Amino acid sequence: MAAIDQVISVTLNPLKNEIESLSSIQLNIIEGIIEKEKEKLQKNLKSRIFKSNNEKEIELFVSQYHSTLILLLQQVYKNKPYFNEGNPVLSKAFNLLVGSLDELLVFIEERFAPYLSLLETVPITYLEVAKNEIKQSIERFKNSFLNAVPDKELSEIVLNEILKFIETPSENSSVTFKEVIYMKDLVKELEHIDQPENPKCIYTALVELLVYLNYNSKLFINHFTSKIKLQINSLPFIDKKIVQLEFKRKEFQQMHVKPGVILNPEYNGIKAEIERWFTHEIYFVSQELKVPEISAALNPPPVLPKRKERDKVLCMLTGDQIGLFLRASDQNRLLIAPSMTAIFKAIVPSLSTKDREELSVENTRVKSYEATDHDKETLIMALEKLIQTIREF
């Protein structure tokens, strides 16, 4: 760090040296010194942290390096008016200093973030450098990104969020290190999305990335759930809608979220918000199944003669528990039929319970989506008894 400090505080300090006379040869020498110092600093950081077992000592060490680099960055920007942009050598010297310090800051933030006080407000100079870096990255990959993502509305939601971050005046904002690092990570990951995606697919690479980064933007959540709803509403039958919603929910539950990151800390995480949407949507759709049952209750069909008692198999589970068992059997392919409804129609009419001689196929199927914890526990206990009996055969 001493060599970089010497270059910024003395060699290229306009208050101590006449930097206007800096030649290309001298700048090349300075560049070589800085490159060696960067390598030395990175090795020193990794070595010190690897050797130490004291968390507080590591935290203090990393924080000191990070703070020193920010102070040096502020010093460079303070001297910026003296680096005449009309002088190509001075312009290159300024960019060299800023780029080198930024590279070291990124190195520390990416590798040793747990040891930094990320909730502290960043200095304006640091924020300006970060915004400029993000802006340059966006300009570099924007076209390939837009070509790869067929969902233009979603790509605009994400890019507009980044542009809002860049264009908000630094003087009027209290941005934390955590927010800056989040934006840098987001932009870095977006740059890797450069392969065309299937326009009909909901869980695209971009969606998976946004879920992974806990991108809990209200606009994104509304857009994502609207696309699922559009697909579900295109299905002709209510039972198929419920099955598809459950399938989409299961797919979503299998997606990962990076620990400790979030776009808007004041809101719930992406998993909690979308899981709640699935719960409400499945409940809402399942209510549509009850309308025919109400109509049937008001207009009952002619009473048919009851089946003979010997035609029924008495099951010691309740109707709700039977529905739960049949639904689980369908999802795990233990029972196979053209649809889950077909399974219920084939089996439920042949069963009776202690409380009911006749079980409603439709009601039993609907109730399988509304199982209580008590029903689940009772069914699990019954299955465990079966397992124990089978083991003893």
Side-chain angles (χ1 to χ4, degrees):
M1 186 77 77
I4 295 178
D5 189 1
Q6 176 73 16
V7 169
I8 294 171
S9 303
V10 180
T11 310
L12 293 180
N13 185 343
L15 302 179
K16 296 184 179 180
N17 276 306
E18 294 183 5
I19 62 173
E20 295 84 358
S21 60
L22 184 71
S23 67
S24 296
I25 296 174
Q26 290 172 319
L27 181 58
N28 288 338
I29 294 171
I30 291 171
E31 187 173 2
I33 292 171
I34 290 176
E35 284 299 319
K36 287 181 181 179
E37 188 68 7
K38 281 195 302 184
E39 290 180 16
K40 179 181 174 184
L41 175 61
Q42 291 173 357
K43 287 179 181 178
N44 189 25
L45 269 168
K46 288 187 284 187
S47 176
R48 284 284 297 271
I49 290 169
F50 179 75
K51 290 178 181 177
S52 178
N53 293 321
N54 189 318
E55 291 288 318
K56 289 187 177 180
E57 181 182 297
I58 295 173
E59 186 176 329
L60 178 62
F61 182 67
V62 172
S63 296
Q64 285 177 340
Y65 264 95
H66 193 255
S67 299
T68 301
L69 288 169
I70 290 174
L71 289 173
L72 289 173
L73 186 62
Q74 289 176 311
Q75 180 65 43
V76 172
Y77 266 84
K78 184 179 179 181
N79 295 335
K80 184 179 179 180
Y82 298 97
F83 286 84
N84 186 357
E85 292 184 2
N87 185 326
V89 177
L90 287 181
S91 180
K92 185 178 178 181
F94 178 80
N95 292 332
L96 169 66
L97 296 178
V98 172
S100 299
L101 292 171
D102 184 53
E103 184 182 333
L104 288 171
L105 284 167
V106 170
F107 171 78
I108 292 174
E109 289 162 1
E110 287 185 349
R111 291 173 177 260
F112 311 114
Y115 303 107
L116 296 172
S117 301
L118 298 180
L119 297 180
E120 291 182 3
T121 302
V122 300
I124 293 176
T125 303
Y126 173 90
L127 182 56
E128 285 298 313
V129 172
K131 286 181 176 181
N132 187 55
E133 178 189 333
I134 291 170
K135 185 179 179 181
Q136 289 178 359
S137 296
I138 292 291
E139 289 172 352
R140 184 173 61 250
F141 73 80
K142 184 178 179 180
N143 289 337
S144 62
F145 171 73
L146 291 174
N147 289 333
V149 179
D151 190 341
K152 301 308 174 190
E153 185 179 347
L154 179 55
S155 60
E156 285 181 10
I157 288 172
V158 177
L159 290 175
N160 286 340
E161 184 76 36
I162 298 169
L163 289 176
K164 185 177 77 172
F165 174 80
I166 294 171
E167 294 170 359
T168 301
S170 301
E171 296 79 8
N172 302 329
S173 60
S174 299
V175 180
T176 64
F177 283 105
K178 193 167 188 175
E179 291 173 284
V180 173
I181 292 171
Y182 182 93
M183 278 297 166
K184 284 184 177 181
D185 285 347
L186 174 61
V187 171
K188 182 180 176 182
E189 294 296 336
L190 289 176
E191 192 166 1
H192 296 148
I193 298 178
D194 55 4
Q195 297 298 320
E197 298 184 324
N198 183 352
K200 294 183 180 180
C201 181
I202 289 179
Y203 295 108
T204 61
L206 178 56
V207 168
E208 288 186 358
L209 169 63
L210 296 178
V211 172
Y212 178 69
L213 292 179
N214 210 353
Y215 189 89
N216 60 338
S217 155
K218 297 295 183 184
L219 289 175
F220 167 56
I221 292 171
N222 291 338
H223 175 79
F224 177 64
T225 52
S226 295
K227 291 204 73 173
I228 295 177
K229 198 166 185 178
L230 191 64
Q231 272 196 8
I232 298 302
N233 287 341
S234 68
L235 298 172
F237 303 110
I238 296 173
D239 58 338
K240 289 188 179 296
K241 291 181 180 181
I242 295 174
V243 170
Q244 269 301 306
L245 276 169
E246 288 285 4
F247 179 71
K248 295 292 182 190
R249 182 187 211 171
K250 190 172 182 179
E251 280 188 311
F252 177 75
Q253 288 171 340
Q254 291 172 348
M255 297 172 75
H256 299 289
V257 175
K258 186 178 181 180
V261 302
I262 192 167
L263 174 67
N264 295 310
E266 63 271 23
Y267 300 150
N268 289 329
I270 188 77
K271 281 275 190 174
E273 285 293 320
I274 293 183
E275 180 64 28
R276 184 167 62 178
W277 178 85
F278 271 117
T279 301
H280 289 170
E281 193 65 18
I282 291 170
Y283 175 78
F284 174 78
V285 174
S286 67
Q287 294 305 298
E288 296 180 34
L289 285 170
K290 295 186 176 181
V291 175
E293 291 181 11
I294 295 171
S295 176
L298 295 175
N299 303 285
V303 178
L304 299 174
K306 290 185 178 180
R307 291 190 182 192
K308 293 180 180 179
E309 193 170 329
R310 59 185 171 82
D311 291 338
K312 292 278 189 179
V313 174
L314 176 63
C315 181
M316 301 308 291
L317 299 172
T318 66
D320 294 357
Q321 292 158 9
I322 291 169
L324 186 59
F325 173 78
L326 293 178
R327 179 183 162 209
S329 299
D330 173 63
Q331 290 191 2
N332 288 279
R333 310 299 287 168
L334 184 63
L335 297 174
I336 299 174
S339 68
M340 188 169 74
T341 301
I343 292 174
F344 277 76
K345 285 181 177 178
I347 296 175
V348 172
S350 300
L351 300 176
S352 65
T353 66
K354 291 185 296 182
D355 301 321
R356 289 178 179 270
E357 178 66 25
E358 297 291 335
L359 294 174
S360 164
V361 172
E362 203 60 39
N363 190 54
T364 304
R365 187 177 65 78
V366 172
K367 288 293 186 179
S368 72
Y369 291 96
E370 302 172 2
T372 64
D373 289 340
H374 173 72
D375 286 334
K376 291 178 184 178
E377 288 300 322
T378 302
L379 180 57
I380 289 169
M381 288 173 63
L383 293 173
E384 285 175 344
K385 286 182 180 178
L386 290 177
I387 292 168
Q388 185 61 35
T389 301
I390 292 168
R391 283 179 176 156
E392 292 172 356
F393 283 164

